Amino acid sequence: MGLNDDIAALEVVPTFAGVEREALRLIAFAAESRILRAGDILFRRGELADAGYLVRSGAIALDARDDGSPTDHVVGPGVLIGELALFAETKRPATAIAREPSSVTKLPRSVLRRVLVEFPDAAVHLRAVFAERLNDMAGDLAAVRRALLSIER
């Protein structure tokens, strides 16, 4: 896949939709492609996370239990795994295993930090994306709290 294909793949990820093309070019240029066979482990639960992964093809199972039982959480092309790792030091909350032959693009945190410095408009955009998500999550949590309180009464 070429650089323009990588940029196009990033443009359709909700987190990056609206980020200027030159910032996406920098991310795409520094990204690393990886091919996985069915059963290959991309990363394990509890490992330090230094990057996110964009699923380009195939299917990746995310297993938070890590006990060998089947997981129902499977993601496919266009999904960004480990988004938080792009911006903050964290540990992997789940093990990621290829369910079938798959390809992913590794997006290193160091590159995203560089983008935030060199492309202020991209930083503003990403801040707005995460602020909206946090507001939505806060609303969802408030609704759950109200529902629990009404059950307790």
Side-chain angles (χ1 to χ4, degrees), residues 14-124:
T15 302
F16 298 122
V19 170
E20 60 198 272
R21 192 163 177 83
E22 287 305 309
L24 295 179
R25 180 180 307 282
L26 175 59
I27 296 168
F29 184 75
E32 304 168 25
S33 294
R34 184 165 170 200
I35 304 296
L36 304 168
R37 297 171 303 197
D40 282 353
I41 295 175
L42 181 60
F43 53 77
R44 292 192 180 278
R45 178 176 178 228
E47 290 179 351
L48 291 177
D50 65 346
Y53 291 90
L54 175 59
V55 180
R56 298 296 295 270
S57 67
I60 307 292
L62 300 171
D63 181 8
R65 294 180 304 247
D66 212 14
D67 62 3
S69 61
T71 180
D72 291 331
H73 195 70
V74 179
V75 298
V79 173
L80 181 58
I81 302 172
E83 182 178 69
L84 183 58
L86 294 174
F87 304 99
E89 291 184 22
T90 185
K91 290 186 178 181
R92 300 284 182 199
T95 297
I97 305 166
R99 278 273 174 96
E100 60 189 52
S102 304
S103 67
V104 297
T105 302
K106 182 179 181 179
L107 309 172
R109 179 185 317 124
S110 59
V111 175
L112 265 292
R113 287 187 173 168
R114 184 173 164 197
V115 165
L116 295 176
V117 171
E118 293 184 22
F119 298 92
D121 290 343
V124 168

